[in-house]
Amino acid sequence: MKHFFTLILLTVLTGWPPLFAQTFVPITVSGFNADIVAEAGNSALAATSTVIDGSNHVIHTTAFATANGVSGGITPTGNFVSGTKTWQMAAFNANNALYMAVPSNAVPNAVGTGTLTLATPAIYSKLSLLAFATEGTATVSVLLTFADGTTSNAGTITIKDWFNGTPAVVTGYGRITRTNAPMTVDGLTSNPRFYGFDFNIPCAVLGKALASVTFTQLAATGGTSRALILALAGVQYTPITYSSAHTNAICGGANGTLTLTAANGSTPYTYRWNTSPAQTTATATNVPAGAYVGTLTDANGCVFTVNDTVA
């Protein structure tokens, strides 16, 4: 006789083909406090709201460079792609970065803590920041707030300085002095740089709709480095079905089976049945009568268990 039961679990799914890719899609957020990109006009001073390093620099676009006879610049679209990750910066004619510093540094126009709020709360399994630091590295904590009002600590990230860090999403776009014309550009060979920083949503809160992400700068190289967060991307997370089935042992022998079946989700999965010896495939064979626990671990390291009995 065979018995079936199904548990509905939440696990990682990209929401885009191919099924098993961990594809990071742009997340639209608000909460940026600084305009750091010169995109139009003939003055980097007028086109931005603050400097971002200790030597009076900001970022500019290639369109701004062309219009003003200088070199370098980032793409005017604000769209950046690296492998399966895509980030989209906010519009360049308004605030487009979260500009942070440790409170003791008292950097003008910077904040010690800032929150990026999702335009539409949604479920994710992983997040990725597009970010960099100036004047050294910056350590930033990450706090997740969900649509139900609960929060979860997602750990800390050490954001690399925009010069010489690896690996980088984009390099050599140059930095421009935040002045009226004439403006000068440097760092056109391999610096400055943007970086991607990935982190998982904790397993305990997977399946909750993310509403906002709060960042707090905890430490700074020499006490003076600044963190700049430019964009957020995420891997979408959707429900899957997960089922267990068994066949009973015949005539008291060790000839029953146990099977775990998962549809969709974040693969590869790993399996473990607490048979003796333990079996690590989806189907355990040569199983005597008894109660058993099956464990499934997804690609993000989240563990799900099920109980089944072979009679």
Side-chain angles (χ1 to χ4, degrees):
M1 181 178 180
K2 185 177 289 188
H3 302 277
F4 296 92
F5 64 92
T6 301
L7 301 176
I8 304 300
L9 300 177
L10 291 175
T11 192
V12 181
L13 183 66
T14 66
W16 300 90
L19 180 63
F20 302 132
Q22 294 283 289
T23 302
F24 289 75
V25 297
I27 301 174
T28 302
V29 296
S30 60
F32 296 117
N33 68 324
D35 180 357
I36 67 166
V37 182
E39 85 292 349
N42 57 9
S43 166
L45 177 65
T48 59
S49 66
T50 184
V51 300
I52 59 174
D53 66 4
S55 50
N56 197 41
H57 289 99
V58 290
I59 296 168
H60 61 298
T61 68
T62 53
F64 186 86
T66 299
N68 289 279
V70 296
S71 301
I74 62 173
T75 172
T77 66
N79 187 266
F80 297 92
V81 178
S82 178
T84 61
K85 301 179 181 71
T86 302
W87 300 270
Q88 178 62 58
M89 291 184 65
F92 292 155
N93 61 353
N95 288 343
N96 43 57
L98 181 57
Y99 181 42
M100 305 179 68
V102 292
S104 60
N105 192 10
V107 172
N109 305 315
V111 294
T113 297
T115 297
L116 298 182
T117 301
L118 278 66
T120 304
I123 301 171
Y124 299 94
S125 63
K126 295 183 177 180
L127 298 175
S128 185
L129 302 180
L130 185 67
F132 66 93
T134 63
E135 274 70 55
T137 61
T139 302
V140 173
S141 67
V142 182
L143 180 70
L144 309 174
T145 299
F146 299 95
D148 64 1
T150 59
T151 62
S152 179
N153 186 347
T156 60
I157 296 171
T158 298
I159 299 178
K160 304 166 192 172
D161 186 85
W162 61 342
F163 275 64
N164 304 317
T166 58
V169 171
V170 61
T171 65
Y173 52 83
R175 58 180 184 176
I176 192 168
T177 51
R178 186 172 184 260
T179 60
N180 296 318
M183 298 163 286
T184 60
V185 175
D186 66 7
L188 292 171
T189 302
S190 60
N191 290 304
R193 306 178 181 195
F194 291 167
Y195 309 97
F197 299 94
D198 304 344
F199 53 99
N200 291 341
I201 303 294
C203 295
V205 291
L206 278 174
K208 291 189 175 187
L210 182 67
S212 64
V213 185
T214 298
F215 304 94
T216 300
Q217 186 164 339
L218 303 175
T221 299
T224 59
S225 63
R226 306 108 185 263
L228 292 105
I229 296 171
L230 309 178
L232 185 66
V235 176
Q236 295 172 328
Y237 185 95
T238 58
I240 69 165
T241 58
Y242 170 80
S243 63
S244 172
H246 71 264
T247 59
N248 289 328
I250 300 174
C251 299
N255 48 31
T257 64
L258 294 157
T259 301
L260 286 173
T261 303
N264 303 316
S266 178
T267 60
Y269 291 113
T270 58
Y271 304 89
R272 182 180 179 86
W273 287 101
N274 69 333
T275 52
S276 182
Q279 297 188 47
T280 55
T281 55
T283 298
T285 58
N286 301 320
V287 179
Y292 296 93
V293 178
T295 302
L296 181 149
T297 304
D298 72 10
N300 295 317
C302 296
V303 178
F304 307 98
T305 60
V306 64
N307 297 299
D308 208 341
T309 302
V310 173

